[in-house]
Amino acid sequence: MLNNTYIHIPCIGSSTERTIWKSGIKSWDDFLINHGTLKTTKKKQRVLYSGVEESIEQLSGKNHIFFARRLLPCHQWRAYRQFEDKTAFVDIETTGLSSQSDSITIIGVYNGKETKTYIKGINLDEATEELAKYKQLVTFNGARFDLPFIEHEFPGFFNHLHIDLMYPLKNIGYSGGLKKIECSLGIRRSEETEGISGFEAVRLWNKYKKGDDESLEVLIKYNKEDVENLKTIIDMTYQKMVDNEIAPKDRKCAADLSQTI
């Protein structure tokens, strides 16, 4: 989707982007060849042409910061496929809901192959070194919860593209919490973690702090399933997100473009 996105170009809005899609242009390279067919002003064509050339160059160099700064948070999911190989799926556990008065107990990081778990009092400080390896983070409700906690714990670390799955999922009809959405998609939890909520996760941490090591093992497994399921969810729903982005105002355009974006 990223390589047929135009709303990150200064002075270009969603109506112009949709006009480009309706014209049948399927990618930035296609735009450079066929931009002259667009029904728009010469000035806007020049802005678009320059912006597309710059975007191709920045994507070729895998400059995620360029797109993180140019794309609104609600549109950063479009970059998922282009930065998939440098993506971390992230979830945290905490002692409560306030990033100012509570603290992180666990940070789980899944890169699509392995999950690493960082635990308060053991190795939590190593989490930022791991997160720095990636250009894109995927969370669920991370904009309001996970990232504020991480920023408070480790100020200034964040310069990533960020996909908060809660919002694009809601746009395609999946609302509610992560566990509800997992059920809607047929994703099952293990027997040990099925039914555990965020509040139960706090209780498990408190039991661990009182000497119950088994509670920590369950909490780690719960967190591990959280981050690994995030990848399963986005891989299952990404095409629907693309179709929905194009389809609402022009379903014929969606049929033509969704296989190429």
Side-chain angles (χ1 to χ4, degrees):
M1 184 78 191
L2 181 62
N3 65 356
N4 205 13
T5 290
Y6 304 89
I7 50 175
H8 67 294
I9 299 172
C11 303
I12 300 302
S14 58
S15 61
T16 298
E17 180 177 70
R18 193 162 295 281
T19 296
I20 296 170
W21 291 346
K22 287 180 179 179
S23 75
I25 289 174
K26 299 177 174 62
S27 68
W28 289 334
D29 289 335
D30 192 8
F31 175 88
L32 295 181
I33 297 169
N34 296 298
H35 66 94
T37 64
L38 291 176
K39 294 180 180 179
T40 186
T41 65
K42 294 294 185 182
K43 180 179 179 181
K44 186 167 285 188
Q45 283 195 25
R46 287 194 297 270
V47 169
L48 280 163
Y49 195 93
S50 175
V52 167
E53 283 191 318
E54 182 181 24
S55 298
I56 291 172
E57 181 181 355
Q58 296 295 337
L59 183 57
S60 176
K62 292 294 185 178
N63 184 3
H64 68 291
I65 296 175
F66 172 82
F67 296 102
R69 290 175 176 170
R70 288 285 191 90
L71 285 167
L72 291 174
C74 61
H75 295 135
Q76 293 195 13
W77 66 268
R78 295 185 182 192
Y80 175 60
R81 292 298 185 199
Q82 282 73 22
F83 291 92
E84 189 173 4
D85 61 337
K86 286 291 185 178
T87 296
F89 300 84
V90 180
D91 184 70
I92 68 171
E93 312 302 334
T94 67
T95 58
L97 298 177
S98 171
S99 61
Q100 301 301 309
S101 57
D102 293 302
S103 59
I104 298 172
T105 57
I106 286 178
I107 299 177
V109 181
Y110 177 55
N111 64 7
K113 297 178 181 178
E114 64 175 332
T115 299
K116 296 183 180 180
T117 305
Y118 300 91
I119 304 166
K120 183 177 182 180
I122 299 177
N123 63 344
L124 190 65
D125 289 343
E126 298 173 15
T128 52
E129 182 179 350
E130 177 65 20
L131 290 171
K133 297 175 182 178
Y134 304 99
K135 298 185 175 187
Q136 181 169 247
L137 305 182
V138 178
T139 67
F140 186 90
N141 196 30
R144 296 191 301 183
F145 189 75
D146 302 74
L147 293 193
F149 266 95
I150 294 173
E151 275 285 359
H152 187 262
E153 190 89 19
F154 307 106
F157 105 98
F158 183 74
N159 67 356
H160 305 70
L161 284 158
H162 175 224
I163 302 171
D164 186 338
L165 272 182
M166 185 170 73
Y167 300 102
L169 285 173
K170 187 175 182 179
N171 289 339
I172 60 172
Y174 296 101
S175 59
L178 181 62
K179 312 306 179 296
K180 179 183 175 182
I181 291 170
E182 288 173 356
C183 289
S184 298
L185 293 169
I187 300 170
R188 296 293 302 273
R189 292 265 171 164
S190 64
E191 289 184 9
E192 299 97 315
T193 67
E194 191 170 5
I196 293 179
S197 66
F199 291 108
E200 176 66 12
V202 174
R203 192 179 73 84
L204 287 169
W205 177 259
N206 290 335
K207 287 179 67 176
Y208 158 67
K209 293 301 289 181
K210 293 177 181 178
D212 185 348
D213 289 340
E214 186 175 337
S215 291
L216 179 61
E217 292 177 11
V218 174
L219 185 58
I220 291 170
K221 187 173 182 63
Y222 168 76
N223 179 267
K224 183 174 186 287
E225 290 178 0
D226 274 352
V227 293
E228 293 179 3
N229 286 350
L230 288 177
K231 177 167 172 50
T232 301
I233 289 170
I234 194 170
D235 286 343
M236 290 177 70
T237 60
Y238 181 79
Q239 190 58 51
K240 292 181 182 179
M241 295 175 192
V242 172
D243 293 343
N244 182 71
E245 192 76 353
I246 302 165
K249 296 182 181 179
D250 193 333
R251 295 192 175 277
K252 184 178 185 302
C253 178
D256 293 339
L257 292 179
S258 63
Q259 300 305 313
T260 59
I261 295 178

